[in-house]
Amino acid sequence: MIYLHATANVRAYQAKLLEMAQANMTFAFEFSQRLATIRSPVEFFTVIAEFTSKRIGMFGKYSKEMAELSTKRTA
């Protein structure tokens, strides 16, 4: 029974890591597309600020979700 629980936890971690990798790839692609369309120095800083904010939000979200998986695993 413990083995099945551990296997389920490993699968949940793997699924979350895959989700994080996909989100990171999507983020990088969107960021590079936006950088390629910049027409002025001011727009550069606006894009950097926008994507920095999105990146911080993404890290916060996934940190919280991984922490929840961690506490679920040990409970």
Side-chain angles (χ1 to χ4, degrees):
M1 185 66 153
I2 292 174
Y3 175 75
L4 293 176
H5 186 64
T7 301
N9 288 332
V10 168
R11 286 187 182 146
Y13 260 61
Q14 288 174 335
K16 186 55 63 182
L17 289 173
L18 180 59
E19 180 184 330
M20 290 169 59
Q22 288 172 335
N24 195 40
M25 291 293 290
T26 300
F27 176 87
F29 184 70
E30 290 173 1
F31 182 63
S32 64
Q33 282 184 317
R34 286 291 302 273
L35 284 179
T37 61
I38 289 175
R39 302 282 182 231
S40 72
V42 173
E43 191 177 357
F44 174 78
F45 291 110
T46 302
V47 169
I48 295 296
E50 174 189 342
F51 277 86
T52 298
S53 176
K54 284 182 181 180
R55 184 69 143 192
I56 290 169
M58 190 172 85
F59 279 136
K61 173 188 172 208
Y62 285 117
S63 294
K64 180 181 176 187
E65 290 174 2
M66 291 301 283
E68 288 171 1
L69 281 175
S70 166
T71 57
K72 181 190 275 187
R73 188 180 118 219
T74 57

